[in-house]
Amino acid sequence: MHTLSTTNRELAIGSKLGEIIQNSTERAKFAEHPEATLSELGLATDVKIYADTADKVHLVIPAKIDEARVAAGDETYFEELGRLALASCHYEEMPD
């Protein structure tokens, strides 16, 4: 069994993005102009950032799925996909 471990770089990236997401001003700046922060973290800067709002939620659709698990109706796999798709949703105000 292969065990995944988190590197110091990944921890630094997660920490920085966590700080940004929790601060509404920094989050808005990052969503509008992510290049500086991404470059500082050593990440690609040619990405588009989608920020959720009270009126719009962006779902992350995986590039690859396990077709056999989908065909088998694997409920656990569907739950995993749902958690992945909604894991980054963050609300300052909950929608009605």
Side-chain angles (χ1 to χ4, degrees):
M1 180 174 174
H2 184 265
T3 304
L4 296 177
S5 62
T6 305
T7 66
N8 288 338
R9 180 173 183 264
E10 290 167 330
L11 290 172
I13 291 168
S15 176
K16 180 66 175 177
L17 293 177
E19 289 174 16
I20 290 169
I21 290 169
Q22 293 179 41
N23 179 309
S24 59
T25 303
E26 291 300 312
R27 186 172 188 267
K29 282 184 357 187
F30 178 67
E32 187 69 27
H33 301 287
E35 300 84 7
T37 300
L38 294 174
S39 178
E40 173 187 317
L41 294 170
L43 300 172
T45 59
D46 60 344
V47 298
K48 177 115 172 116
I49 303 295
Y50 294 95
D52 294 345
T53 66
D55 298 324
K56 183 182 277 187
V57 176
H58 298 87
L59 299 177
V60 177
I61 308 297
K64 293 183 180 180
I65 61 168
D66 186 331
E67 294 178 29
R69 289 180 77 181
V70 171
D74 185 334
E75 298 275 332
T76 303
Y77 186 59
F78 296 147
E79 288 176 14
E80 290 173 23
L81 291 174
R83 278 193 300 278
L84 289 171
L86 296 173
S88 298
C89 293
H90 170 80
Y91 293 101
E92 294 283 327
E93 300 173 22
M94 292 301 290
D96 295 329

